[in-house]
Amino acid sequence: MTDAIALLVVVPIVLALAPIAFGRLWNRTGWLAAFAASFAHLGLSLAVAATVFTTGRFTYAVGNYRPPFGIELVADGVSATLALLVSVVTVAVVVYARRAGPDTNEFYSGLLLLTAGISGVFVTGDLFNLYVFIEITGLATYALVATGRSPAAALSSLKYLLVGTIGASLYLLGVGYLYISTGTLNMADLAATIPEVGYDSPLILTGFGLIVVGLAVKAALFPLHTWQPDAYADSPDSVTAYISALVSTAAAYALFRVIYAVFTPAFDAATPFALDALVILASVSVVVGSVLAVLQSDIKRMLAYSSVAQFGLIVAGFAVANTTAVTGGLIHLVGHAIMKAGLFVGVGALAGVAGGYTVDDFAGLADRAPVTSAAFAVLAFALVGVPPAVGFAGKWHIVLGAVEGGRWGVAGVAIVSTLLTLAYFARVVERMYFRDAPAELAADADRAADGALASDGGSGPTDETDGGSGPSDGGDDDASVAPGESAISIEARAIVVVAAVGAVVLGLFASDLVSVFEPVLEVYFQ
Amino acid sequence: MIDLLGTHYNYLVFVALVGIGLYGVTASTNLVKKIIGLNVFQVGIFLFFVTSGYVDGAAPPVVGHGSGPYASPLPHVLILTAIVVGVSLTAVALALVVRIYDAYGTLDEEAIREVQLND
């Protein structure tokens, strides 16, 4: 069943053509193709995972060209788990998008291309092939962000394109530096030839720097995150859920592969300042991302900045460079994807009931939509790191590994970030559960004041129109109080609840995740 | 120094193109000029790859075309792929520019920001 690994990429790409080819004949082609592709992908990733868990790591030579010369696909515990994650998120988003939109053929084509690109990033064992998949992921993401109706979505998408392309090009330049010094692009082969060239060779060091900066742009680490909040806030909810769960995850995973499969821990031992710099970049990202999240009044933006912080934490785990911390980073990578996707679907669903995306709009929601609110709260506390959820397992391993490695700074930053995460989620959950719905004029006036304040913090124009609505809109708000849980589609409710349950169950089985990831890491840390 | 200019001018052009491209992306407020800058930046990187595969006086690596040293064709092939990626990116970027122009009536970043603030 080793062919399944190649089909993980091929199936979504081929089916992505179906909506374009047959969309005119039958309007529902897009959804059906995406639905079929997502379940086919699930089957294939289960097959890959079954092979990996029974017989261990395997490789696949594309086109039967022998690996150092041809392109190699690699499946091990980490890539199999992440491929499974892609399938699960794709199934959920395809189901969600049918009701929540944008339910068009173009959207499903873009979604399938994105699925193919991300799957490719997770399975490839070749640096240039990785560049191509990163760019496929990027192109599809730019198109999906622009499916938002507002003109601001097109602008955010273009901004993302400019920054993202520069990031990917810097990565390509880094790959070029490695290629001219070693003459190979295969990851396993590079790991063997880089020591021959010498870890302190300027070409190797510059290559490492360029690759790390390029991927940090894609993973949205501070200060390279500027594209991310706009892109997340202006996309349709289903797109935000998908890209927040998988796109930055793919970049962070690529960073993990580059650090460990290409440069290996021996590089870290020879040139400690390279990973020291990465630890500092990641730690700053954690703190600044969390603080910016606390300052937001738009919940989608808050979650976007929260991703900046969480990815800082994940990369910090990778950069600590011992088995425990890297395992923690990988667990948090998987856990963050599930929790963020659930949170964004939850925000989209709850905003339909609340009538807006700001923190104040969410006041009193728990009475009106109890099930979704409860699941949202569970996910929020899971991301904070309350045991037994998966957020706790990831952070625990990162902190433990940081202490083991003597990186007290990372341990401190992880704990501070937990407090800040609690600060921005507690604000939302408190309003949902302990405030009355903003039906009265007084609440409206409050909101106007908050809106004016928030626009200083850089939130979008949506706040101002909301705040400026004033008393005349009061009647409208009264009317919008009426829709309750029933206004949320059954799919959205199911997805948020499944994500919440998944986050807790994954936390309970975190030791199994550790036993899946550890054999992969042991090879690197020999 | 002069020697270096004579023998490594291709790498100097690569650095110049990358620098000019980055300057274009960051300094210009016009969105189309930013895209042009992005293209110049990418072309610089393409030049780096292509020029690294070229060896003075080398034969093409084809059977029956002289004896070694051979020039490496792999960087050229890689860049063919990268050029395709670059063209697709430019196409997506221009499509977005068309939409932005329809919505705001301008391509100047500052002007668009003003329109957004007035909304």
Side-chain angles (χ1 to χ4, degrees):
Chain A
M1 277 309 283
T2 52
D3 287 346
I5 191 172
L7 292 175
L8 277 178
V9 180
V10 174
V11 167
I13 282 198
V14 171
L15 281 172
L17 299 174
I20 298 169
F22 306 113
R24 299 246 159 174
L25 297 176
W26 188 49
N27 213 11
R28 303 296 311 160
T29 315
W31 189 77
L32 198 74
F35 191 72
S38 60
F39 276 97
H41 195 279
L42 183 63
L44 290 167
S45 52
L46 281 173
V48 169
T51 316
V52 168
F53 296 146
T54 50
T55 59
R57 178 183 187 278
F58 68 89
T59 62
Y60 176 88
V62 177
N64 276 333
Y65 289 101
R66 205 148 49 83
F69 310 108
I71 294 168
E72 184 183 35
L73 304 181
V74 183
D76 56 22
V78 178
S79 51
T81 309
L82 286 165
L84 210 52
L85 176 76
V86 175
S87 316
V88 171
V89 176
T90 309
V91 168
V93 167
V94 168
V95 168
Y96 175 60
R98 184 164 162 256
R99 206 70 86 76
D103 187 27
T104 60
N105 285 323
E106 295 80 13
F107 166 73
Y108 290 116
S109 271
L111 190 74
L112 289 182
L113 282 179
L114 185 52
T115 310
I118 293 167
S119 310
V121 171
F122 288 150
V123 297
T124 188
D126 182 280
L127 277 188
F128 187 79
N129 197 227
L130 182 60
Y131 165 75
V132 174
F133 282 127
I134 285 176
E135 282 293 45
I136 292 176
T137 305
L139 274 165
T141 314
Y142 311 144
L144 286 179
V145 169
T147 52
R149 288 277 165 77
S150 66
L155 201 62
S156 306
S157 172
L158 186 64
K159 193 171 160 188
Y160 182 12
L161 187 148
L162 291 169
V163 178
T165 306
I166 289 178
S169 301
L170 289 177
Y171 170 83
L172 178 63
L173 193 55
V175 172
Y177 277 36
L178 294 189
Y179 176 70
I180 60 171
S181 52
T182 63
T184 179
L185 290 165
N186 181 290
M187 288 186 190
D189 206 27
L190 272 166
T193 42
I194 288 177
E196 290 168 22
V197 179
Y199 286 124
D200 51 354
S201 144
L203 272 177
I204 299 285
L205 284 175
T206 319
F208 180 80
L210 287 168
I211 288 178
V212 167
V213 171
L215 292 176
V217 171
K218 287 284 186 177
L221 292 187
F222 179 87
L224 309 166
H225 70 287
T226 49
W227 57 267
Q228 193 244 35
D230 285 340
Y232 282 18
D234 293 331
S235 313
D237 295 325
S238 41
V239 173
T240 315
Y242 198 77
I243 63 179
S244 68
L246 296 178
V247 172
S248 292
T249 307
Y253 168 85
L255 198 56
F256 158 74
R257 281 287 173 208
V258 167
I259 295 175
Y260 291 105
V262 176
F263 284 90
T264 68
F267 172 75
D268 173 42
T271 50
F273 62 89
L275 285 189
D276 282 350
L278 194 55
V279 165
I280 293 168
L281 178 75
S283 303
V284 170
S285 184
V286 174
V287 175
V288 178
S290 302
V291 170
L292 286 172
V294 173
L295 295 175
Q296 303 305 313
S297 65
D298 181 315
I299 296 184
K300 277 181 100 173
R301 271 178 183 274
M302 184 191 90
L303 291 177
Y305 280 111
S306 152
S307 282
V308 173
Q310 302 302 328
F311 275 101
L313 200 58
I314 290 164
V315 173
F318 293 161
V320 165
N322 61 38
T323 322
T324 319
V326 178
T327 310
L330 290 171
I331 292 176
H332 204 48
L333 194 65
V334 175
H336 170 267
I338 291 171
M339 293 183 280
K340 253 319 147 46
L343 283 167
F344 270 115
V345 171
V347 167
L350 289 171
V353 178
Y357 285 98
T358 63
V359 175
D360 291 297
D361 286 326
F362 273 42
L365 263 183
D367 292 336
R368 284 183 281 158
V371 178
T372 317
S373 300
F376 182 88
V378 168
L379 283 168
F381 285 116
L383 195 59
V384 170
V386 175
V390 67
F392 171 75
K395 286 186 183 180
W396 172 251
H397 280 92
I398 292 172
V399 172
L400 211 63
V403 172
E404 261 175 40
R407 301 255 192 197
W408 293 97
V410 173
V413 160
I415 290 161
V416 169
S417 97
T418 304
L419 290 177
L420 285 167
T421 313
L422 185 63
Y424 57 74
F425 276 126
R427 214 166 42 124
V428 179
V429 173
E430 187 260 342
R431 275 184 179 68
M432 285 164 69
Y433 276 89
F434 302 115
R435 297 273 180 102
D436 292 326
E440 320 83 49
L441 295 183
D444 239 349
D446 251 354
R447 247 191 321 154
D450 271 9
L453 199 76
S455 62
D456 282 343
S459 66
T462 46
D463 283 288
E464 283 177 38
T465 52
D466 226 17
S469 59
S472 62
D473 249 329
D476 265 13
D477 272 346
D478 276 337
S480 72
V481 170
E485 188 85 47
S486 55
I488 300 173
S489 70
I490 187 93
E491 291 95 335
R493 256 185 288 172
I495 288 167
V496 184
V497 170
V498 168
V501 172
V504 175
V505 170
L506 213 57
L508 293 173
F509 288 95
S511 54
D512 293 299
L513 266 182
V514 172
S515 60
V516 169
F517 293 152
E518 242 162 18
V520 180
L521 299 176
E522 269 160 19
V523 175
Y524 297 144
F525 281 100
Q526 265 166 8
Chain B
M1 186 64 205
I2 299 294
D3 271 3
L4 197 72
L5 279 178
T7 54
H8 287 77
Y9 60 89
N10 40 2
Y11 292 101
L12 294 174
V13 173
F14 142 66
V15 172
L17 282 176
V18 167
I20 292 167
L22 270 182
Y23 177 78
V25 176
T26 48
S28 173
T29 59
N30 185 305
L31 295 176
V32 172
K33 287 186 185 166
K34 275 179 186 289
I35 296 169
I36 295 172
L38 192 68
N39 275 313
V40 173
F41 173 72
Q42 287 192 308
V43 166
I45 293 173
F46 299 164
L47 177 68
F48 169 73
F49 268 85
V50 170
T51 200
S52 74
Y54 180 78
V55 181
D56 249 346
V62 178
V63 177
H65 276 264
S67 56
Y70 294 109
S72 168
L74 186 64
H76 301 191
V77 179
L78 297 180
I79 287 318
L80 277 181
T81 315
I83 287 172
V84 173
V85 171
V87 169
S88 327
L89 281 164
T90 311
V92 173
L94 291 176
L96 291 171
V97 162
V98 169
R99 236 184 96 182
I100 292 168
Y101 188 79
D102 282 347
Y104 295 105
T106 174
L107 288 177
D108 190 83
E109 241 189 345
E110 311 273 316
I112 291 174
R113 200 167 297 143
E114 268 175 39
V115 174
Q116 281 185 327
L117 285 178
N118 289 335
D119 275 348

